[in-house]
């Protein structure tokens, strides 16, 4: 079989791993279902073209194991479904029919909508499983595994997704390595093909040319797979709207801070990030209602995130992010929201550009993100985007310098740093050598008089002076409160700290 031979002779270890995993899924499906009970949904695009040849190879290897024969593949009996649409490119139709003739496909052409056509097909045929060229990142991929039953309301069948975790790079590595034909549109700059109404060549592949007609490089020369769907721009800063909406509900926005790390709890590492983050949040008008330090345990992270996300406008979590066994933060966040960790092709592309050849193999742990709830916040100053899961911000910083950069980018991308609806805190600090007993009652009375002003007391040492902090969002009210407090004591008993 030419496909299996081409992959076997390739030096691309990642492609070999992806290929072997996909073939395993295909052989597993062919072992579970008879050939009459399976079908293949083919649409002429690059992903389904990859799947076509994987299925040919998988069927050949399956039959070879059954018969112990080394003979060639004379036929491909898997029923092939093609949903022909009037809005499809003529090139897609031509390539599909050409592939059907070349590989002797049993082509069932359906001219109804996908659901109605599928219902009619399954009613007339004993199909129990359908091979699909779905990849993570596709709108229909959320919640799917390599074997996933059809959604409620659809006719019952098993969706088989052999290339679910393949990236844009993997797809083109396969097509070029195996030297198989693909739709000609991909040589004209198209990188993701939909209908004639919503698909144009990728402008990133445009070639500067003196002729009047614009020219494009082929799709496989797109170096950054994140830009495969360049025309389908994600909202990268919806956090602005989230915060603006919350600021209309609450006069003060509430934040929680969670640190993950056994090294903090054991005293091996001093947590400077929590202190710095609390200062930054307070300085821009947020009220930090709780900070927590957790051990490296998925359940602990899940329970705390679930608790804090329901009482805080935003939850910030750091530590435990990476590929090590102790890096459990993202798994804990996923569990808190009741979703799985799944490969994120866009994030994996960032990592591939960052760590190059180290980002190999069939499973990059750092590219596993909570499925369906993750939004990547992009900034040109960050090598990888920030991760936002609903109202949980996952920070990758490991020191205060890295936190400073992430904070700067986050405040630029969002309304986190303030705005017309989010006033910053102001404060005044007073110092006294009086005892706790002497200041306790006057402070209690002041709290009743000025309920909108935060009153805090602390000492830097047990024998040192008491420092009284008055904090709020109205400078005039803070001044009034400070004056009222001074009047409760003799002159010069309270000294202001500038």
């Amino acid at each position: 079989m030419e496909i299996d031979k081409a992959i076997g002779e390739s030096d691309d270890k990642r492609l070999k791993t992806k290929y072997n995993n996909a073939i395993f899924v295909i052989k597993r499906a062919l072992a579970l279902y008879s050939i009459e009970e399976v079908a293949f949904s083919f649409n002429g695009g690059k992903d389904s073209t990859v799947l076509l040849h994987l299925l040919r190879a998988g069927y050949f290897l399956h039959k070879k194991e059954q018969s112990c024969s080394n003979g060639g593949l004379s036929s491909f009996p898997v029923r092939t479904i093609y949903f022909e649409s009037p809005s499809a490119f003529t090139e897609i139709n031509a390539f599909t029919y050409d592939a059907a003739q070349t590989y002797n496909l049993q082509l069932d052409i359906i001219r109804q909508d996908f659901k109605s056509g599928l219902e009619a097909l399954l009613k007339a045929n004993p199909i129990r499983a359908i091979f699909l060229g779905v990849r993570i990142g596709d709108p229909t991929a959320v919640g799917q595994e390599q074997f996933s039953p059809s959604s409620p309301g659809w006719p019952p069948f098993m969706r088989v997704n052999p290339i679910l975790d393949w990236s844009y790079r993997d797809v083109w590595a396969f097509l070029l390595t195996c030297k198989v034909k693909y739709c000609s549109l991909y040589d004209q700059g198209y990188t993701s093909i939909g209908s004639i109404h919503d698909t144009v060549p990728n402008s990133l592949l445009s070639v500067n040319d003196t002729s009047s007609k614009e020219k494009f490089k082929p799709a496989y020369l797109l170096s950054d797979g994140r830009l495969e769907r360049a025309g389908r721009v994600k909202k990268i800063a919806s956090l602005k709207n989230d915060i603006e909406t919350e600021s209309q509900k609450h006069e003060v926005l509430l934040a929680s801070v969670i640190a993950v790390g056994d090294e903090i709890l054991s005293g091996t590492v001093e947590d400077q990030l929590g202190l710095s983050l609390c200062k930054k949040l307070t300085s821009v008008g947020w009220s930090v209602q709780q900070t927590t330090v957790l051990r490296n345990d998925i359940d602990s992270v899940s329970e705390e995130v679930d608790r804090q996300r329901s009482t805080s406008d935003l939850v910030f979590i750091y530590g435990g992010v990476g590929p090590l066994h102790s890096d459990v933060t993202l798994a804990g966040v996923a569990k808190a929201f009741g979703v799985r960790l799944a490969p994120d092709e866009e994030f994996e592309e960032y990592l591939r550009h960052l760590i190059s050849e180290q980002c190999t193999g069939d499973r990059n742990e750092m590219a596993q993100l909570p499925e369906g709830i993750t939004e990547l916040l992009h900034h040109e100053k960050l090598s990888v985007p920030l991760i936002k899961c609903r109202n949980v911000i996952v920070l990758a910083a490991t020191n205060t310098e890295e936190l400073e950069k992430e904070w700067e980018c986050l405040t630029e991308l969002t309304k986190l740093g303030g705005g017309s609806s989010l006033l910053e805190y102001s404060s005044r600090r007073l110092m006294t050598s009086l005892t706790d007993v002497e200041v306790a009652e006057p402070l209690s009375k002041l709290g009743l008089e000025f309920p909108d002003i935060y009153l805090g007391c602390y000492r830097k040492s047990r024998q040192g002076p008491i420092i009284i902090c008055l904090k709020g969002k109205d400078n005039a009210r803070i001044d009034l409160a400070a004056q009222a407090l001074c009047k409760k004591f003799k002159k010069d008993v309270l000294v202001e700290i500038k």
Side-chain angles (χ1 to χ4, degrees), residues 416-434:
L416 187 66
S420 58
S421 61
L422 192 58
L423 299 176
E424 297 182 6
Y425 279 110
S426 297
S427 64
R428 290 181 65 177
R429 291 190 299 162
L430 304 172
M431 182 174 67
T432 180
S433 58
L434 295 175

Side-chain angles (χ1 to χ4, degrees), residues 330-350:
L330 288 171
V333 172
K335 187 172 182 179
F337 285 97
V339 300
R340 67 169 186 169
L341 283 179
D344 187 286
E345 182 178 327
E346 181 182 2
F347 200 66
E348 186 171 26
E349 283 294 327
Y350 275 101

Side-chain angles (χ1 to χ4, degrees), residues 153-191:
W154 283 70
F157 67 95
M158 181 63 72
R159 294 174 289 189
V160 185
N161 304 307
I163 63 169
L164 189 64
D165 64 344
W166 284 44
S167 69
Y168 183 83
R169 171 188 173 275
D170 299 327
V171 166
W172 282 109
F174 178 89
L175 293 173
L176 296 176
T177 297
C178 297
K179 298 179 181 179
V180 294
K181 288 185 178 180
Y182 50 82
C183 179
S184 61
L185 289 175
Y186 292 112
D187 285 332
Q188 301 171 34
Y190 290 83
T191 54

